[in-house]
Amino acid sequence: MPHPVDYQAVLDQIHGEVQPLLGRGRVASYIPELAKVPGNQFGMAVVTLDGSVHSCGDAREAFSIQSVSKLFALTLAYQCVGDALWERVGREPSGSAFNSLVQLESELGKPRNPFINAGALVVTDVLCTRFVNPETALVEFVRRLSGNATLQYDDRVARSELATGFRNRAMAHFMRSFGNLVNPVDDVMDAYCRHCAIRMDAVDLARAVAFLAHGGVNPWSGEVIVDASSAKRLSALMLTCGTYDAAGDFAYRVGIPAKSGVGGGIVGHIPGRLGVCVWSPELEPSGNSLAGSVALERFTTLTGQSLF
Ligand code: GLU
């Protein structure tokens, strides 16, 4: 691929290549509202640090960002309490399911990392302590990151998860029994389900993650979100823990820091170059978007750009 890369041509090629994959995965159904999303959609967006936007397919279709919100929640909590966060959450891949309770027992209520559900609940607890309305604080934060002041969470999705999130509630109670959750479980669950229910499209998400590709600084507003060292650390966590229990395989195949969600979105970035987001709601068994994972693998292959 000659340089400079023609990102639009790459995205158009990928859009064609993934078509046979649509219909091969399964839309998440354990949150009833998510089961209603038509599976055969695909969109991808790349935003380079000079602000150029390239996109294909359903890149302007808003979807439930789910665990992608854990990246933004972590960033905001890290802004608030810095390294003190690591007294309550680890930084190692878990090697078990994103919603597993098993390790919490033997590890005395300290979750392995901030991207599994237990870790994200502790992060949300930090936000509940810091903000009167933590979910509003997070939506406003993501609005600033993306430059889209109209972003909202989807109340139906949040209520759907609140009504069925028995495992997450169990984890929250369990961590509270170890003293690693200080706010009432209902408050933490409420804020958690709402931030998971934020709706965004691929273009806005590619913009929202670009600060990590730019040393922690929002490339367009100039706002310092985190310092360069923290941007490196957040990106390292994405690489090692951001794509469920398949993070090793994902790093092998794709080679960029990324965070995925059960809504089918995956965000990632290439330091010094761009933010990227792909969305396709059908998942592979790991929980990552099936077509989305392939699309990102093809993207780093076709452009010759990755971390490595
Ligand atoms: N809100 C979802 C849950 O807690 C997020 C899961 C995900 O996207 O990984 O189950």
Side-chain angles (χ1 to χ4, degrees):
M1 177 73 48
H3 288 272
V5 172
D6 183 345
Y7 291 111
Q8 191 57 52
V10 169
L11 292 187
D12 291 339
Q13 179 175 340
I14 293 170
H15 190 206
E17 286 180 8
V18 298
Q19 293 307 311
L21 300 175
L22 304 181
R24 298 236 185 128
R26 298 185 66 159
V27 174
S29 57
Y30 73 100
I31 299 174
E33 275 299 314
L34 293 186
K36 298 179 182 167
V37 177
N40 61 346
Q41 304 182 80
F42 176 88
M44 189 165 181
V46 168
V47 180
T48 52
L49 295 187
D50 63 6
S52 310
V53 179
H54 310 274
S55 65
C56 66
D58 301 309
R60 296 262 52 165
E61 193 70 34
F63 60 92
S64 190
I65 72 171
Q66 291 300 316
S67 276
V68 173
S69 68
K70 293 173 182 171
L71 173 63
F72 305 125
L74 171 64
T75 306
L76 190 56
Y78 197 61
Q79 265 189 354
C80 295
V81 298
D83 284 339
L85 186 66
W86 308 126
E87 288 158 25
R88 299 178 57 187
V89 192
R91 302 188 297 256
E92 288 292 343
S94 69
S96 52
F98 72 106
N99 58 0
S100 169
L101 279 142
V102 177
Q103 275 166 353
L104 277 181
E105 169 90 69
S106 55
E107 298 180 2
L108 307 178
K110 180 175 177 177
R112 276 283 174 102
N113 69 67
F115 291 147
I116 53 174
N117 285 6
L121 286 164
V122 171
V123 166
T124 305
D125 187 53
V126 169
L127 298 180
C128 288
T129 299
R130 270 306 163 105
F131 299 101
V132 179
N133 287 308
E135 63 274 9
T136 308
L138 194 72
V139 171
E140 278 169 4
F141 182 55
V142 182
R143 285 178 182 167
R144 290 209 312 278
L145 292 178
S146 65
N148 182 347
T150 69
L151 295 179
Q152 267 301 353
Y153 61 82
D154 183 331
D155 200 45
R156 275 175 313 137
V157 173
R159 278 190 280 115
S160 181
E161 184 172 5
L162 270 171
T164 54
F166 306 114
R167 288 185 74 88
N168 288 339
R169 202 173 289 278
M171 267 179 239
H173 280 290
F174 200 48
M175 290 190 290
R176 202 168 153 132
S177 78
F178 285 102
N180 199 14
L181 208 81
V182 295
N183 292 282
V185 166
D186 282 345
D187 293 359
V188 177
M189 278 294 294
D190 212 63
Y192 173 81
C193 292
R194 284 187 213 286
H195 75 59
C196 286
I198 293 174
R199 284 177 69 77
M200 291 175 78
D201 65 30
V203 172
D204 285 338
L205 274 166
R207 282 205 185 97
V209 79
F211 75 96
L212 288 170
H214 195 235
V217 179
N218 184 318
W220 307 293
S221 70
E223 180 184 355
V224 177
I225 308 298
V226 289
D227 62 25
S229 164
S230 303
K232 178 191 79 175
R233 295 174 197 285
L234 294 171
S235 301
L237 283 166
M238 292 167 77
L239 185 72
T240 53
C241 310
T243 44
Y244 303 115
D245 198 20
D249 187 55
F250 192 91
Y252 176 84
R253 287 167 58 194
V254 180
I256 64 172
K259 181 72 202 89
S260 57
V262 294
I266 310 177
V267 298
H269 73 90
I270 301 181
R273 291 186 191 275
L274 55 85
V276 59
C277 176
V278 62
W279 170 62
S280 189
E282 291 175 348
L283 310 178
E284 48 191 15
S286 64
N288 296 312
S289 169
L290 190 149
S293 303
V294 172
L296 286 172
E297 182 175 2
R298 293 295 292 148
F299 182 76
T300 53
T301 303
L302 290 168
T303 59
Q305 296 176 349
S306 72
L307 276 193
F308 305 106

